[in-house]
Amino acid sequence: RRLTDATAIPHPPSLRSIDGTTCGTFTLVLPRTCGDLIRWSRLLRNCLDTYTAAAVGGASHLIGVECDGSLRYVIEVTPQRGIRQFTGHANRPPTRADHDALVDHLRAHAVVG
């Protein structure tokens, strides 16, 4: 199957339930299409654009973290509910406080174990 910018990214119910939730000053958002990942890749200056097939196929679940309407981080969750990556601009790690608050939020919503 050929993926395009408009190709929809399916999300399991546990992820759909956190879309739009807030954690302090952060809002969690899910990419709707492959085009969203391509745009996120440009914004964060990373390789998210290469994750479209994995996201569409369910091998990677990607969660955007916005602050004041701007994408700050992306968290990659495995199908086994583990965090594979949690990075910001140019693959920089989050601050410890941001990491801990957001991971606690994801645990409380049973997105990660």
Side-chain angles (χ1 to χ4, degrees):
R1 171 178 169 195
R2 186 180 179 297
L3 302 179
T4 68
D5 286 2
T7 302
I9 297 173
H11 301 288
S14 62
L15 253 63
R16 286 195 309 265
S17 71
I18 63 156
D19 191 28
T21 62
T22 58
C23 173
T25 60
F26 297 114
T27 301
L28 291 117
V29 295
L30 299 179
R32 304 277 185 255
T33 65
C34 291
D36 289 338
L37 290 181
I38 293 165
R39 184 175 53 82
W40 288 6
S41 181
R42 282 193 301 261
L43 289 169
L44 293 180
R45 297 171 146 297
N46 63 24
C47 63
L48 274 171
D49 57 332
T50 65
Y51 284 72
T52 55
V56 169
S60 289
H61 303 298
L62 299 157
I63 303 165
V65 180
E66 293 181 344
C67 185
D68 296 326
S70 295
L71 189 65
R72 173 81 54 91
Y73 303 115
V74 173
I75 303 168
E76 180 187 9
V77 177
T78 68
Q80 296 77 30
R81 298 178 43 229
I83 294 177
R84 186 175 291 140
Q85 295 185 74
F86 185 162
T87 59
H89 188 265
N91 290 326
R92 289 185 185 102
T95 66
R96 174 56 59 192
D98 291 354
H99 175 277
D100 292 350
L102 288 159
V103 170
D104 286 348
H105 183 79
L106 293 176
R107 279 193 184 114
H109 288 85
V111 172
V112 299

